[in-house]
Amino acid sequence: MSNTMRAIAVKGGKGPATSLYVDSIPKPVPAAGQALVKIKAFGLNRMDLLQREGLYPLPPQAPETMGVEFSGTVEEFGPDGHEDFKVGDEVLGLAYGVWSVGAYAEYIAVSTKMLVHKPKQLSWEEAAGVPETWITASQALFLIGEFQEGQSVLWHAGASSVSISGIQLAKASGAKAIYATAGSQEKIDFLEKELGVTKAFNYKTQDWAAEIQQATGGAGVSLIVDFIGATYFQGNLDAAARDGRVVLLGLMGGGKLPDGVNIAPLLFKRIRIEGSTLRSRDEEYQRKLRDTLVDHALPKFCDGTFKVFVEKIFPFDQILQAHQLLESNTTKGKIICVVE
């Protein structure tokens, strides 16, 4: 058996999508509590673009290889801590904890605490699009946002994979109303007609904060999940309900607030704003989120209540095209690469 494997690397360590290439690197060896998984497919995430460009602050234990979610089969174990997994098991998982290589590769050695048994109802490609997006959405909605049945929620970047997951989670959890923002009429139609959101707003042509106020009779929304940051800060304060919460998951609109931001609503509405990341969390925190996914979401994948929306599937050696599509901001759902 070869001691090397194919993996996606970046020429010079960082650069544009054209810097991506297929490299040959040492095949990882599972340590205590880890499984070696032969990867069938992996999902792309926006953090991959930032990491590729050298703009993502990696945790100390993170490898240079990109990729945080995958599906595949268990090939072998390191000593100890296998939980209920066996060689040959079909799994999906997160490339978190202490690991030696990311998911853009043929193999990964990863803690069994980050693995989930793959439902037979999901394809390899669908399964690879579950871990990062659904766990992030669950974390934002329940753990940080403390969402309760009968509340309302606004998902920014509504056609992103995390928001698509979160919209389904909120709907299944009894949301009174679900709103979203997106950047095209095609995405608006998708959100309203296919996902069933109460109302979606085009941030390019509409004042979404004012529209939210109008749609809610001035009450605002209980919870806002935001990936944009600075340019949406004022709108979030205006659209939040009294005692509302804003969960900040990204800074696509920058981290420096524009001049003239009025923070008075923060005080008078008693708004709570909390930022969060997942990748830098400790292994036990991530395991708790994995267990939440297994308990609450997995059964709904099996019965068809929840759906993984896959925009396009690329072969491993077309990672350049996959990254370029993700950068276009035109997708509705996951971009997946398969390892032949």
Side-chain angles (χ1 to χ4, degrees):
M1 183 180 295
S2 174
N3 293 322
T4 62
M5 67 173 183
R6 293 181 302 155
I8 302 299
V10 184
K11 295 175 184 176
K14 63 180 181 180
T18 51
S19 300
L20 296 170
Y21 71 102
V22 179
D23 195 8
S24 179
I25 66 172
K27 183 177 174 182
V29 177
Q34 291 186 334
L36 180 69
V37 177
K38 181 176 175 60
I39 294 177
K40 295 282 190 178
F42 58 83
L44 274 64
N45 293 279
R46 191 157 294 277
M47 72 176 76
D48 301 344
L49 304 182
L50 296 174
Q51 182 177 340
R52 190 200 71 214
E53 294 171 353
L55 301 175
Y56 190 92
L58 292 173
Q61 74 276 18
E64 293 183 359
T65 314
M66 289 173 289
V68 296
E69 60 183 346
F70 60 89
S71 62
T73 56
V74 175
E75 283 218 344
E76 62 178 284
F77 295 100
D80 307 322
H82 303 163
E83 299 197 355
D84 63 341
F85 296 99
K86 304 183 302 295
V87 170
D89 280 355
E90 298 182 349
V91 296
L92 54 99
L94 283 171
Y96 286 179
V98 180
W99 73 107
S100 58
V101 68
Y104 283 23
E106 292 183 295
Y107 293 89
I108 188 168
V110 64
S111 169
T112 54
K113 295 176 182 178
M114 299 296 103
L115 294 179
V116 175
H117 291 283
K118 184 181 85 68
K120 65 179 184 301
Q121 292 87 350
L122 294 181
S123 67
W124 290 114
E125 294 83 2
E126 290 170 329
V130 168
E132 171 70 18
T133 50
W134 285 84
I135 285 179
T136 299
S138 297
Q139 178 197 32
L141 194 66
F142 302 119
L143 199 61
I144 302 172
E146 298 177 352
F147 178 80
Q148 300 292 324
E149 181 179 357
Q151 292 183 333
S152 56
V153 59
L154 166 63
W155 291 88
H156 288 306
S160 69
S161 298
V162 174
S163 290
I164 288 172
S165 307
I167 288 165
Q168 294 179 75
L169 284 166
K171 193 173 183 180
S173 300
K176 175 177 68 176
I178 304 173
Y179 303 101
T181 60
S184 70
Q185 189 59 47
E186 180 185 5
K187 290 181 179 180
I188 298 294
D189 292 342
F190 166 75
L191 290 164
E192 293 182 348
K193 297 174 183 178
E194 193 156 353
L195 284 185
V197 304
T198 308
K199 185 68 177 175
F201 307 102
N202 190 326
Y203 65 82
K204 294 180 180 178
T205 61
Q206 295 177 282
D207 181 344
W208 55 265
E211 295 285 352
I212 287 287
Q213 289 282 52
Q214 182 176 347
T216 60
V221 290
S222 310
L223 173 62
I224 299 172
V225 183
D226 180 29
F227 308 85
I228 311 303
T231 54
Y232 276 21
F233 191 83
Q234 185 70 69
N236 287 338
L237 295 184
D238 296 340
R242 186 176 299 274
D243 295 314
R245 294 167 307 286
V246 179
V247 180
L248 180 63
L249 297 181
L251 297 170
M252 293 172 62
K256 186 176 181 180
L257 294 179
D259 292 338
V261 169
N262 175 21
I263 65 170
L266 186 64
L267 175 66
F268 297 122
K269 291 186 182 180
R270 301 187 296 267
I271 298 169
R272 190 183 79 197
I273 300 175
E274 185 170 347
S276 182
T277 59
L278 178 57
R279 197 174 189 182
S280 59
R281 299 282 191 169
D282 64 68
E283 195 170 287
E284 287 305 316
Y285 180 95
Q286 293 167 0
R287 181 187 187 180
K288 180 168 66 173
L289 288 173
R290 180 207 65 174
D291 292 345
T292 299
L293 173 72
V294 171
D295 293 339
H296 298 288
L298 222 59
K300 289 182 170 60
F301 287 120
C302 295
D303 68 17
T305 302
F306 287 165
K307 182 179 178 183
V308 182
F309 288 82
V310 176
E311 173 79 16
K312 191 166 183 179
I313 299 168
F314 289 89
F316 185 76
D317 59 3
Q318 289 186 18
I319 189 66
L320 163 61
Q321 293 88 336
H323 266 235
Q324 288 175 332
L325 178 58
L326 184 59
E327 288 175 326
S328 73
N329 291 325
T330 60
T331 57
K332 303 182 298 297
K334 295 296 297 187
I335 299 172
I336 303 294
C337 280
V338 293
V339 183
E340 301 295 343

